[in-house]
């Protein structure tokens, strides 16, 4: 079994306007890179890395670590708020998508990985790649309407 888990998902981008819009995101976990870190890659290639426990705890109660805030919204939604020098991005996820992803990461985590017991984790980080998501309809359909991976 590959130590890398990737899952394509949809989130809703929450804006100041009256409408939200669905956006493709990639959830990624690499046990060989850092067994306690998950990545969310947004359209345009922006990658956020933060502790897996942040998402796990955010499923139950509001939590904040550095530039990332996570909290449940009702019984079926989770809000992830990302702060950067460019501003704030707020995404709404289906909780079941994140529960499935986190279950897969726990199953893949090496036995030597420290448990999620409140031990301080790596601070959230943001990186931007130079590859952008496909912009043509054909390219989106070819990728199943998912963001490009660079």
């Amino acid at each position: 079994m590959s130590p890398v888990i990737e899952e394509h998902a949809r989130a809703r981008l929450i804006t100041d306007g009256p409408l939200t819009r669905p956006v493709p995101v990639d959830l990624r976990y690499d046990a060989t890179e850092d067994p306690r870190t998950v990545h969310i890659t947004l359209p345009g290639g922006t990658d956020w890395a933060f502790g897996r426990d942040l998402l796990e705890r955010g499923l139950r109660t509001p939590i904040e670590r550095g530039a990332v805030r996570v909290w449940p919204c009702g019984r079926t939604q989770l809000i992830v708020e990302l702060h950067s020098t460019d501003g704030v991005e707020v995404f709404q996820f289906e909780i079941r998508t994140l529960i499935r992803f986190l279950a897969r990461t726990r199953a893949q985590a090496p036995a030597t990985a420290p448990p999620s017991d409140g031990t301080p984790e790596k601070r959230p980080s943001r990186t931007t790649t130079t590859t952008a998501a496909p912009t043509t309809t054909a390219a989106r359909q070819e990728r199943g309407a998912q963001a490009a991976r660079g």
Side-chain angles (χ1 to χ4, degrees), residues 27-132:
L27 306 172
R28 186 172 59 81
Y29 171 75
D30 184 348
T32 60
E33 181 181 291
D34 184 346
R36 298 188 305 171
T37 300
V38 294
H39 295 261
I40 296 179
T41 303
L42 306 173
T46 301
D47 182 77
W48 282 84
F50 46 88
R52 184 177 60 186
D53 76 318
L54 188 65
L55 282 182
E56 290 172 336
R57 291 180 189 177
L59 292 170
R60 296 180 307 277
T61 186
I63 186 168
E64 176 179 353
R65 186 172 299 140
V68 179
R69 295 179 183 153
V70 181
W71 67 92
C73 180
R75 296 183 330 183
T76 61
Q77 304 292 320
L78 182 81
I79 305 295
V80 177
E81 184 177 293
L82 306 167
H83 293 255
S84 72
T85 55
D86 295 332
V88 178
E89 292 179 297
V90 180
F91 295 90
Q92 183 178 35
F93 288 87
E94 292 287 328
I95 282 181
R96 69 176 178 254
T97 301
L98 295 174
I99 288 173
R100 181 178 56 240
F101 172 72
L102 290 169
R104 290 176 64 202
T105 67
R106 282 191 300 275
Q108 186 65 39
T112 58
S116 183
D117 61 359
T119 306
E121 299 224 1
K122 178 174 125 181
R123 302 259 321 155
S125 64
R126 173 183 183 253
T127 56
T128 304
T129 60
T130 55
T131 350

